[in-house]
């Protein structure tokens, strides 16, 4: 197990380096620049800006300098926010996205696994039909539809909850964005869990357990849920990273100062370092969550070898 974990950890680094390299050169070779705009700068001002941010250095030197900065944990200065570094911008937005995404994924995992397991155990009954119908509805309706509807109903008409804002992460401000973000994930996880659980329940060892008269509750929680949850764990890696860093729509609708808003602003403003920092952070999270999933997979199913 230790050897497997070390190999998986070392195998993740080349992927991250390739991601950094591709992101850096794609940003540099794209037309335009961080100081290109409707107002054309004079040649002297442009030269001073290029010299200040070392944009007039050879591209390979810029690449090595950026790698050296990353090795020291420094994403560099923001080109569009002169008084801020990318580290400061990310450190402001990431906790918000992590808080919302983390709660959304936790709720989605618990509810999705329970609903999917129950639907599989009660296959072809009204419980299964209701769970399947609700999951299909949850997948079909995007968050940019559910979020405004929640705001209209619970904030504007009923007045029970705030329509938006961060407010230091208070409970009442988080209910609507977390719910809107969790609903599609509940639907997806419940469908994955239902399909996997049905397959497990048809296994010979489950039939043997039923023939021995073991209660359904023990069969479900002791013998069936562990192998059935493996596909859900595979899904959790990229999904968790995506929901933490990619909730751009939710952040915009509820006016939350998360990481997604900085990524959009950086892309629109051609802020090289801000976009690179955001992309590298997202990529690193995806790699990290996939690494955790691989380790969990090996812990749950010891037959898995590197």
């Amino acid at each position: 197990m230790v050897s497997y974990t070390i190999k998986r950890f070392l195998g993740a680094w080349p992927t991250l380096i390739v991601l950094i390299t591709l992101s850096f050169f794609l940003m540099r070779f794209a037309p335009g620049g961080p100081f290109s705009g409707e107002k054309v700068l004079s040649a002297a001002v442009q030269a001073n800006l290029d010299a200040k941010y070392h944009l007039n250095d050879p591209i390979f030197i810029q690449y090595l300098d950026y790698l050296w900065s990353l090795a020291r944990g420094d994403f560099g200065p923001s080109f569009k926010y002169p008084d801020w570094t990318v580290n400061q911008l990310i450190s402001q937005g990431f906790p918000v996205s992590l808080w919302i995404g983390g709660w959304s994924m936790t709720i989605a995992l618990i509810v999705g696994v329970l609903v999917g397991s129950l639907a599989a155990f009660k296959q072809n009954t009204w419980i299964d039909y209701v769970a399947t119908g609700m999951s299909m509805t949850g997948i079909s309706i995007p968050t940019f539809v559910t979020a405004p509807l929640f705001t209209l109903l619970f904030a504007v008409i009923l007045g029970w909850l705030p329509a938006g804002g961060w407010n230091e992460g208070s409970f009442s401000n988080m209910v609507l964005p977390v719910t809107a973000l969790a609903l599609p994930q509940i639907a997806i996880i419940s469908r994955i869990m239902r399909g996997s659980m049905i397959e497990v329940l048809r296994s010979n060892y489950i039939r043997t357990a039923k023939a021995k008269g073991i209660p359904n509750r023990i069969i479900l929680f002791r013998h069936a849920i562990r192998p059935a949850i493996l596909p859900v764990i595979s899904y959790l890696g990229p999904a968790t990273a995506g929901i933490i860093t990619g909730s751009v729509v939710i952040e915009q609708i509820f006016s939350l100062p998360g990481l997604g808003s900085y990524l959009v602003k950086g892309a629109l403003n051609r802020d090289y370092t801000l976009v690179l920092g955001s992309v590298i952070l997202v990529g690193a999270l995806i790699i990290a969550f996939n690494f955790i999933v691989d380790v969990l997979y090996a812990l749950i199913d010891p037959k898995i070898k590197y």
Side-chain angles (χ1 to χ4, degrees):
M1 183 62 199
V2 175
S3 173
Y4 171 82
T5 305
I6 293 174
K7 287 178 180 177
R8 295 300 301 165
F9 178 76
L10 294 177
W13 285 99
T15 307
L16 183 60
I17 293 173
V18 169
L19 172 68
I20 294 170
T21 304
L22 285 176
S23 303
F24 180 87
F25 284 104
L26 283 174
M27 286 297 299
R28 286 297 191 274
F29 288 135
F35 306 111
S36 302
E38 295 180 358
K39 182 180 179 181
V40 180
L41 300 176
S42 66
V45 172
Q46 184 70 50
N48 287 334
L49 288 172
D50 289 345
K52 179 181 178 181
Y53 294 105
H54 302 284
L55 295 175
N56 51 0
D57 291 345
I59 187 70
F60 192 67
I61 299 298
Q62 293 183 45
Y63 172 66
L64 293 179
D65 289 341
Y66 190 70
L67 286 182
W68 175 241
S69 297
L70 286 182
R72 293 180 284 120
D74 182 10
F75 286 111
S78 169
F79 289 176
K80 289 296 183 180
Y81 304 94
D83 297 331
W84 294 78
T85 65
V86 174
N87 291 51
Q88 290 172 325
L89 292 173
I90 290 178
S91 64
Q92 278 202 337
F94 184 63
V96 177
S97 299
L98 181 64
W99 185 254
I100 298 169
W103 274 113
S104 301
M105 208 64 202
T106 302
I107 293 170
L109 179 62
I110 296 172
V111 177
V113 168
L114 289 177
V115 170
S117 301
L118 185 62
F121 223 78
K122 301 291 183 182
Q123 187 182 9
N124 296 328
T125 64
W126 69 270
I127 295 176
D128 184 24
Y129 297 143
V130 170
T132 305
M134 291 180 68
S135 65
M136 283 299 298
T137 305
I139 294 173
S140 304
I141 302 178
T143 54
F144 62 78
V145 174
T146 55
L149 286 177
F150 286 165
T151 304
L152 178 65
L153 178 61
F154 296 105
V156 178
I157 296 177
L158 298 176
W160 291 351
L161 296 165
W166 173 235
N167 195 20
E168 303 299 327
S170 68
F171 177 79
S172 59
N173 285 73
M174 293 300 99
V175 171
L176 292 182
V178 168
T179 304
L181 204 55
L183 283 179
Q185 299 303 321
I186 292 174
I188 295 170
I189 291 174
S190 65
R191 283 188 63 81
I192 295 174
M193 191 67 193
R194 177 184 178 275
S196 177
M197 182 62 81
I198 288 174
E199 188 175 342
V200 170
L201 291 177
R202 290 174 180 170
S203 303
N204 290 333
Y205 73 96
I206 296 294
R207 291 176 181 169
T208 303
K210 289 181 178 178
K212 288 182 177 179
I214 297 176
N216 288 335
R217 176 175 52 82
I218 296 179
I219 291 176
L220 177 63
F221 288 103
R222 184 176 297 176
H223 302 290
I225 202 167
R226 184 169 174 174
I229 206 171
L230 287 175
V232 175
I233 290 176
S234 297
Y235 171 75
L236 285 182
T240 304
I243 203 171
I244 288 175
T245 58
S247 54
V248 179
V249 175
I250 294 296
E251 290 174 3
Q252 293 294 322
I253 292 174
F254 292 103
S255 303
L256 299 172
L259 184 65
S261 58
Y262 286 113
L263 180 59
V264 173
K265 290 176 184 174
L268 293 176
N269 292 330
R270 300 296 306 277
D271 193 336
Y272 286 164
T273 48
L274 181 56
V275 174
L276 279 171
S278 303
V279 170
I280 292 169
L281 179 64
V282 172
L285 284 175
I286 291 175
I287 292 170
F289 279 115
N290 277 314
F291 167 73
I292 294 171
V293 164
D294 287 344
V295 174
L296 287 176
Y297 227 90
L299 286 173
I300 294 174
D301 188 355
K303 292 182 295 184
I304 295 176
K305 302 292 182 184
Y306 184 78

